[in-house]
Amino acid sequence: MAGKENLKIITDKNQMRTWTRAMRSQGKTIALVPTMGFLHDGHLSLIEEAHKHTHLVVVSIYVNPSQFAPSEDLSTYPSDFDGDIRKLMVVPGGVDAVFHPYNLYDYGVESARCGNGGVSNGTAVVSYLEESGSGHETWVRVERLQKGMCGIRRPVFFRGVATIVAKLFNIVEPDVAVFGKKDYQQWRIIRRMVRDLDFSINIVGSEIMRDADGLAMSSRNVGLSLEERQKALSINRSLSKAKSAAERGELNCKSLKSLVVDEIREAGGELDYVEIVEQESLEVVEEIKSPVVILIAAWFGKVRLIDNIEISI
């Protein structure tokens, strides 16, 4: 099925809400695929998944400043809006609208505008959106699920993600939202937020898309040299070995984690974390007795990659 050349690009949140309400008044159901742009085939697979659930598909393209800490350079996040639109115009099934707002944290006061840098008071990391209480100061936190794994090194990340996704849900008012399971902790956090706050939205998790060599598709992959990419293939190899070992009866998580750690370190990667957790609660387990997921974050050069594999014994 061909794409749609009459793609509607909307930059104003009120216009976005008006459009989706008009479509729903016609009996159409709507899926939202939230992205930060620089789209690759993994993103496009989310759109194909969205078509299985609704009549219309909206893709948001917005680099969310609130999930970046002061030590993280928002300006270096890759962007190619024109290229993104070209891809969306030919994706199978097409996209009906793109929501591309300039700044969802600008409420007409100077302190809410982006680009002024962040601060740290020595005890807690804050984003630059919190420099003054007159700007954005309402946050969504999924308290327990955000604490481990990526939440340790990036203390404002999941708060920023949950808040911007809640804002997008309130603006677009979708029936379905599709998230990639590569960002497994994020997917679980959004599902829990939707449950706890009674959003009437079905959250669909789409399976990880991989390149032919097995590397999980990510916007960050462009930062890898050829040598670093070869080393990074150890992530998928290690996950596959651990899953195979578990399926053969090795259910001790310490042993399984050792398989993963050894593989990645021997390849030259620097581990951030390897955890084996229960799939829904994300609680660390010592022995596999129920469905789990192995979660990995590792550095290859200056690029931090994440990946995971589900195990259901």
Side-chain angles (χ1 to χ4, degrees), residues 64-84:
N64 173 37
S66 72
Q67 67 194 58
F68 289 81
S71 60
E72 299 171 323
D73 191 352
L74 173 65
S75 66
T76 64
Y77 194 86
S79 176
D80 181 16
F81 183 71
D82 290 340
D84 290 343

Side-chain angles (χ1 to χ4, degrees), residues 8-277:
K8 189 175 186 67
I9 300 175
I10 302 172
T11 59
D12 179 79
K13 59 186 176 183
N14 293 318
Q15 292 178 4
M16 184 73 255
R17 187 180 290 116
T18 297
W19 183 84
T20 53
R21 288 182 177 180
M23 295 300 102
R24 294 185 73 179
S25 71
Q26 299 173 21
K28 304 293 187 182
T29 54
I30 298 169
L32 172 66
V33 179
T35 81
M36 294 213 299
F38 207 69
L39 304 180
H40 51 69
D41 286 347
H43 294 111
L44 303 184
S45 73
L46 303 183
I47 297 168
E48 295 183 42
E49 178 65 32
H51 279 293
K52 300 176 184 178
H53 303 275
T54 59
H55 300 107
L56 304 175
V57 175
V58 175
V59 172
S60 64
I61 297 178
Y62 181 66
V63 180
N64 173 37
S66 72
Q67 67 194 58
F68 289 81
S71 60
E72 299 171 323
D73 191 352
L74 173 65
S75 66
T76 64
Y77 194 86
S79 176
D80 181 16
F81 183 71
D82 290 340
D84 290 343
I85 295 302
R86 288 193 294 270
K87 292 174 183 177
L88 294 178
M89 290 180 68
V90 298
V91 64
V95 170
D96 298 278
V98 171
F99 182 42
H100 183 52
Y102 170 66
N103 183 358
L104 288 178
Y105 298 91
D106 188 343
Y107 308 105
V109 291
E110 189 63 30
S111 61
R113 300 181 189 279
C114 295
N116 294 323
V119 295
S120 174
N121 61 14
T123 59
V125 179
V126 296
S127 77
Y128 55 74
L129 294 174
E130 294 174 283
E131 287 185 318
S132 168
S134 61
H136 185 94
E137 54 181 320
T138 304
W139 302 101
V140 179
R141 293 179 177 88
V142 181
E143 297 288 355
R144 185 168 51 78
L145 294 188
Q146 73 174 11
K147 289 182 178 178
M149 281 78 73
C150 287
I152 296 174
R153 295 289 183 92
R154 307 186 71 189
V156 303
F157 178 74
F158 288 122
R159 182 198 67 177
V161 168
T163 300
I164 194 61
V165 170
K167 287 168 71 71
L168 289 171
F169 285 173
N170 284 328
I171 293 167
V172 179
E173 299 179 337
D175 301 281
V176 172
V178 183
F179 292 81
K181 290 170 72 172
K182 181 179 74 69
D183 298 287
Y184 197 91
Q185 187 176 10
Q186 172 179 283
W187 171 59
R188 287 297 184 185
I189 283 172
I190 298 304
R191 283 177 61 89
R192 187 63 54 86
M193 179 190 76
V194 165
R195 185 201 73 176
D196 290 353
L197 298 184
D198 294 311
F199 282 98
S200 182
I201 302 172
N202 178 26
I203 304 300
V204 175
S206 187
E207 298 301 325
I208 298 173
M209 290 291 291
R210 299 184 182 278
D211 288 324
D213 59 10
L215 191 66
M217 293 183 181
S218 170
S219 301
R220 298 179 183 275
N221 291 353
V222 297
L224 294 168
S225 67
L226 181 60
E227 180 181 1
E228 289 166 346
R229 184 182 179 95
Q230 290 300 311
K231 293 178 179 179
L233 298 180
S234 61
I235 297 179
N236 188 38
R237 286 200 308 269
S238 69
L239 288 171
S240 297
K241 287 182 178 180
K243 182 173 183 177
S244 295
E247 291 173 340
R248 292 194 304 268
E250 177 55 83
L251 304 181
N252 181 277
C253 293
K254 184 177 181 179
S255 298
L256 294 174
K257 286 173 65 173
S258 293
L259 287 175
V260 174
V261 169
D262 292 346
E263 182 81 24
I264 293 175
R265 285 180 175 167
E266 287 176 8
E270 180 183 346
L271 282 161
D272 185 345
Y273 64 78
V274 177
E275 295 290 359
I276 302 177
V277 301

